[in-house]
Amino acid sequence: MDTVLLSDNDIDLVKAAELIRNGEIVGIPTETVYGLGADASNEEAVRKVFAAKGRPADNPLIVHLADFSQAKDYTTSIPDLAYTLAEKFCPGPLTMVLPKNERIPMITSGGLDTVGIRVPSHPVMHRIIEISGRPIAAPSANTSGYPSPTSAEHVMRDMNGKISAVVDGGSSRFGVESTVIAIEGESTVRILRPGCVTKEMLEQVCSEVIIDHAILHELEAGQKAASPGMKYKHYSPKADIIMVEGELEGFIAYVGEHTGDDVYSLIFDSDSDNFPYRYMTYGKDSSEQAHLLFQRLRELDDAGAARVYVRAPRPEGVGLAVYNRLIRAAGFEVIRV
């Protein structure tokens, strides 16, 4: 299969939408990361997504819609709080887990009776959904377990020859996947995967916001994943990632004791003055770190890094999303100095 690179003009977006209507897979930009777009109601198309990614079948896919009003077509019930959240955060990087109906196959939901619903804000993704007239499942367009793609180039490197086309819509704005929540009761939500819609932002709408235990810890044996990104090692480059918590002085001392020719550090912009070892930076604050994280992890592979020590962000605000991606990339290995 030859994977065609499409632009974001109207003619190419119609081509992309036609491919999806015909059961094919297309790499599509979203404001979070690039996704592998497929008709979420087409079992055969969804199987192609799992095959292209090498994704475990019990890892659910998120369904993307053009407007939240369409959620009623794919769910059995929608709480009042979901409408309130949609009014504030949709379109945008928020996914709500809701009880699904029979129009969403079990393969799409990873065997669960629920489905994650999201309304993306990226104009290219939004337009393709509208033209196709289909609910679009779009997990990150990378090989399963590898850092998520934030550019069309990343998708082509991972998926060339495996999918029909990739639409180049520029660099992803946020750089980490959407926040995934479950609604509990009348005014409580549980964050299943952190993103750029933060706990603090949700607290402006909800009386209580719970951080699920699995955000910072491995799921117990046999426990089902209610959201993508909960169960398996994710976001990891070829290099071994080790998170290091602590002040800069302790970080430098620890790296000095474990440095080598193929060892790199991933540090904050403010750490770079006189940093004595090989490094890359990934931003001055948590928003920049979210935007640059996956790009830097890929660049470290390109540089030949075998081991990377990462300065851990504070797990608060958007930093919780960055911390969550890093702890999974590191296989939950964290050093405290």
Side-chain angles (χ1 to χ4, degrees), residues 40 47 93 114 147 174 300-301:
R47 286 192 184 93
T114 56
F174 292 115
L300 286 160
D301 269 355

Side-chain angles (χ1 to χ4, degrees), residues 3-306:
T3 300
V4 179
L5 184 62
L6 302 174
S7 71
D8 59 359
N9 63 49
D10 285 343
I11 293 174
D12 279 359
L13 296 190
V14 170
K15 290 179 183 177
E18 288 176 348
L19 286 168
I20 288 171
R21 275 201 303 266
N22 292 330
E24 300 299 327
I25 312 304
V26 179
I28 308 175
T30 82
E31 72 275 23
T32 56
V33 299
Y34 273 67
L36 282 186
D39 181 351
S41 63
N42 182 331
E43 292 189 28
E44 189 56 38
V46 172
R47 286 192 184 93
K48 291 179 183 179
V49 171
F50 281 95
K53 284 180 63 71
R55 184 183 179 99
D58 61 347
N59 199 0
L61 307 183
I62 291 168
V63 174
H64 298 72
L65 304 175
D67 190 271
F68 191 74
S69 63
Q70 298 169 342
K72 66 182 183 301
D73 298 329
Y74 304 100
T75 59
T76 58
S77 64
I78 302 175
D80 290 341
L81 180 57
Y83 288 106
T84 303
L85 290 164
E87 186 174 344
K88 185 171 181 63
F89 298 112
C90 295
L94 180 69
T95 296
M96 289 184 262
V97 176
L98 300 169
K100 77 175 191 67
N101 66 21
E102 69 283 351
R103 295 185 67 181
I104 298 299
M106 294 300 282
I107 187 173
T108 302
S109 65
L112 301 173
D113 292 326
T114 56
V115 62
I117 297 291
R118 183 165 103 80
V119 181
S121 64
H122 195 290
V124 170
M125 176 61 155
H126 200 269
R127 184 69 178 135
I128 290 173
I129 299 170
E130 288 182 326
I131 297 170
S132 71
R134 300 289 195 273
I136 294 183
S140 56
N142 57 301
T143 301
S144 189
Y146 199 59
S148 299
T150 56
S151 70
E153 178 188 0
H154 294 164
V155 183
M156 288 296 288
R157 288 177 64 174
D158 282 18
M159 293 292 148
N160 193 13
K162 298 179 181 179
I163 62 176
S164 295
V166 176
V167 180
D168 189 348
S171 176
S172 297
R173 175 186 171 191
F174 292 115
V176 293
E177 298 82 354
S178 63
T179 303
V180 180
I181 62 169
I183 296 172
E184 301 181 354
E186 293 185 358
S187 190
T188 297
V189 300
R190 178 181 298 272
I191 298 178
L192 304 176
R193 182 181 71 187
C196 289
V197 174
T198 65
K199 177 177 184 287
E200 293 76 13
M201 293 164 69
L202 291 166
E203 284 173 337
Q204 297 174 15
V205 178
C206 308
S207 62
E208 184 179 14
V209 179
I210 301 166
I211 303 293
D212 195 87
H213 180 78
I215 285 176
L216 299 178
H217 303 87
E218 291 184 88
L219 286 180
E220 297 177 3
Q223 187 177 354
K224 282 193 172 185
S227 161
M230 291 183 76
K231 186 170 185 180
Y232 298 95
K233 184 177 180 180
H234 281 275
Y235 321 115
S236 184
K238 296 173 185 174
D240 289 331
I241 301 296
I242 298 106
M243 284 179 63
V244 182
E245 291 185 345
E247 299 302 320
L248 179 59
E249 182 178 350
F251 180 86
I252 291 173
Y254 185 84
V255 171
E257 295 170 359
H258 299 86
T259 194
D261 292 339
D262 53 4
V263 174
Y264 281 73
S265 295
L266 189 60
I267 60 176
F268 311 148
D269 286 5
S270 58
D271 299 337
S272 62
D273 290 344
N274 302 314
F275 191 83
Y277 306 109
R278 189 180 291 109
Y279 70 88
M280 290 186 186
T281 62
Y282 73 123
K284 67 178 183 294
D285 56 33
S286 57
S287 292
E288 281 194 6
Q289 288 157 10
H291 178 72
L292 290 171
L293 175 62
F294 292 142
Q295 177 182 327
R296 290 291 187 263
L297 292 179
R298 287 172 175 264
E299 289 171 350
L300 286 160
D301 269 355
D302 292 341

